[in-house]
Amino acid sequence: MSETFPISSGPAALLDPDPCPPGPRIAPPAAPHRVRSRIGVDLAGGFYPVPHRYRLYLSASCPLSLRVSITLDLLGLRDTVATTLVGPPDDTPEAFAALRGAYEATWHRYGGPVDAPALCDGWTGRVVSNHTPDILRDLAGQLSNHGGPGRPRLRPAPRATDIDALRELLDEDITHAARQAGTAHEAQCRDVSLERLLTALGRLDRRLAVAPYALGDELTAADVDLWVALVQLDTEHRLHLDADAAQRVSRHEQLRAYVRRLHDHPAFHTTIPEALQDDVS
C-alpha cells in the first residue's frame, strides 16, 4: 500500500481495502489521482533516462517505499536518483510542500491526496509516476546499468512474468490474507484467510528449501518483494493474529532463515531512515 498524505495539514491516512468484504472480494477501484507516465517508454513526453534528473519521494512507514529504497541500493542508484523522505505536513513541511507542488504541476487545480512513493522529474517539476510497479520497472530497466560489476540484474527479461506473478501472489495471499486473518470481524473470514496465508507461506518455504532465492539461483526483484512482504508480515500483521495463528505463521524455518540472510546484505534494511540516514535531502 502506498502512503497518502492529505492536502490540508493533518495526520497521514493509510488507504487499505476493507479487511473483510461482505461478498466475494473484487479489486478496489483505481485511485482517482494515479499518475502513470514512464521513463524511456514515451520519449516524446520528455522523460528520458538521464542521471540526476529524477527525485523519489518516499515515506518512512510505507512497505512500497521500502521496496523502492532497497531497489535503489541494489542497483547503486543513490548517487544518480535523489531521494527525499516525506511525511505528514507538520513533520516534514518542506518535503511535503515540494511533493504537493509536483502534484499541482502535474494535475491542473489538483486537490487530491499527496501519495508516496512518487517519482518526480526535476526538469519539469512534475510527477512522473506514483505507481510503484512502474517505478520499480523503470529503475531496473531504464536508470540502472543493467547488472554492471557487482550489481544484480533485478528484472531480467526471461523472468519478468514470474516476477510480476510472485508480486501478485504476495499482495493477495500474504499481505491481504494476513490482514484479513488478523482483523476481519467474522470468524469464518479469519479462518479462511489464515489457511490461505499458511498455504502461500508453505509453498514459498518449500521453494526456498531447494534454491537460495525466490526464483532460483540469482537475486531478482522478486526477492525485494518477498523480503519486504515477510518483514511486514512479522512486524505488523502477525501482531494482530491470535497466539496459535501467530505460532503457525512462524513455523516456516526456510523463510525465517531467508529473511535473516538477506538482512545481512547492506541493501536490505527494515526502515527507510535506516537506509537513508544522513543522505536524505
Side-chain angles (χ1 to χ4, degrees), residues 15 25 45 54 70 78 124 140 150 173 181 266 268-269:
L15 298 183
R25 182 170 185 264
Y54 300 98
I70 292 172
R78 290 287 181 190
T124 65
D173 291 1
F268 285 82
H269 38 266

Side-chain angles (χ1 to χ4, degrees), residues 189-212:
C189 182
R190 293 195 301 271
D191 292 343
V192 170
S193 298
L194 178 61
E195 290 306 317
R196 184 179 183 183
L197 170 63
L198 292 172
T199 297
L201 291 175
R203 289 174 56 191
L204 293 167
D205 197 68
R206 291 190 294 274
R207 179 180 297 187
L208 289 171
V210 297

Side-chain angles (χ1 to χ4, degrees), residues 2-7 12 33-35 54-60 62 65 82-89 92-107 110-122 124-131 135 281:
S2 63
E3 183 144 6
T4 300
F5 307 103
I7 283 292
H33 300 289
R34 183 66 68 202
V35 183
Y54 300 98
R55 177 175 295 274
L56 277 161
Y57 288 86
L58 304 177
S59 167
C62 173
S65 289
T83 308
T84 295
L85 188 64
V86 63
T92 57
E94 293 183 2
F96 178 84
L99 182 54
R100 179 177 64 182
Y103 275 96
E104 291 173 345
T106 306
W107 200 300
Y110 185 76
V114 177
D115 285 337
L119 177 66
C120 296
D121 178 21
T124 65
R126 299 169 54 195
V127 176
V128 176
S129 178
N130 58 10
H131 183 65
I135 294 174
S281 58

